[in-house]
Amino acid sequence: MSELVFFSGTMDCGKSTLALQIGHNRSARGLQGVIFTRDDRAGEGKLSSRLGLVTEAVEAGPGRDLYGYVVDQVSRGGKVDYVIVDEAQFLAPEQVDQLARIVDDLDLDVFAFGIMTDFRTRLFPGSQRLIELADRLETLQVEAMCWCGARATHNARTVGGAMVVEGEQVVVGDVNRPAEDVGYEVLCRRHHRRRMTSASAHAGALSPDVLPVSAG
């Protein structure tokens, strides 16, 4: 029976790499799929991994009917055996409903990949709807690490290396951006709560001791 599966994890835990691997494994068996993505770091219509792998994809922008796109492909004689969706957290809730319809009405497996929460620790609307509708939720086992060495559980937005907690929910960036740019860093809960990024921790370690020291 076909399923809607939601693979989730923090940034930098290999979601896009797994999406590419699933597509590769199926294409090696003669299966053909539709790959959707949204706001990928490599640009529009791309599915890319930080390992350097990249493939063409269909940009699932606002208003695109994902169910209608797949139906159109099939009606034109195209072969569609499965669907992959990367950056699924950016989808509108109604687009997630369309993914569920692909599974139920077209009997196709849909593999969605995304992060659960934004830089404010709030659920993305697309991720929330996937949690509500998915047949199966999978947490990726490759754990990203906070700068302190602990398991990273939260995504932080940074500007100039400093963590920010206000702004638009969606601002495209990456964990490998220069410190002066808008970027992202994965942190453990403790350091996310303290707003302590690797840059601020390093700066703190280099700061002179400001406590008074008695001569005696």
Side-chain angles (χ1 to χ4, degrees):
M1 179 176 289
S2 299
E3 290 184 307
L4 171 57
V5 187
F6 181 32
F7 295 88
S8 68
T10 61
M11 298 181 71
D12 211 20
C13 74
K15 295 182 301 299
S16 297
T17 302
L18 180 57
L20 288 163
Q21 185 67 54
I22 287 177
H24 170 76
N25 289 351
R26 279 160 176 72
S27 64
R29 297 295 180 267
L31 302 178
Q32 297 181 26
V34 172
I35 300 176
F36 292 109
T37 190
R38 174 79 178 273
D39 293 336
D40 188 272
R41 68 185 72 85
E44 183 173 335
K46 302 288 184 181
L47 167 53
S48 67
S49 164
R50 291 188 180 88
L51 298 182
L53 305 172
V54 62
T55 191
E56 298 297 320
V58 178
E59 188 72 15
R64 181 181 283 279
D65 184 343
L66 308 186
Y67 175 82
Y69 182 91
V70 174
V71 169
D72 183 65
Q73 293 294 109
V74 174
S75 66
R76 292 172 181 268
K79 182 183 179 184
V80 180
D81 298 304
Y82 62 91
V83 174
I84 290 174
V85 187
D86 198 29
E87 306 293 357
Q89 71 273 6
F90 295 143
L91 296 180
E94 56 268 26
Q95 290 177 310
V96 177
D97 287 2
Q98 294 159 13
L99 296 180
R101 189 178 178 192
I102 290 172
V103 175
D104 296 340
D105 294 359
L106 303 181
D107 197 25
L108 300 177
D109 284 319
V110 175
F111 306 100
F113 299 81
I115 58 179
M116 290 279 197
T117 58
D118 63 17
F119 69 104
R120 301 165 299 186
T121 71
R122 301 290 188 266
L123 282 170
F124 281 98
S127 298
Q128 178 177 333
R129 192 61 178 146
L130 277 163
I131 293 169
E132 294 166 348
L133 291 183
D135 297 294
R136 184 156 49 95
L137 302 175
E138 297 284 351
T139 301
L140 269 70
Q141 298 304 307
V142 177
E143 296 182 348
M145 296 179 65
C146 178
W147 60 264
C148 70
R151 176 174 175 264
T153 55
H154 291 67
N155 305 293
R157 180 181 295 170
T158 62
V159 176
M163 181 174 159
V164 296
V165 294
E166 295 181 353
E168 295 292 329
Q169 186 176 49
V170 178
V171 175
V172 178
D174 199 4
V175 294
N176 295 319
R177 290 288 182 88
E180 63 272 14
D181 293 345
V182 174
Y184 290 89
E185 182 175 350
V186 289
L187 301 173
C188 63
R189 185 183 64 237
R190 177 182 294 106
H191 289 125
H192 192 279
R193 289 181 57 247
R194 295 176 180 174
R195 303 185 188 180
M196 187 177 291
T197 65
S198 57
S200 62
H202 180 68
L206 295 178
S207 298
D209 190 349
V210 297
L211 295 176
V213 179
S214 63

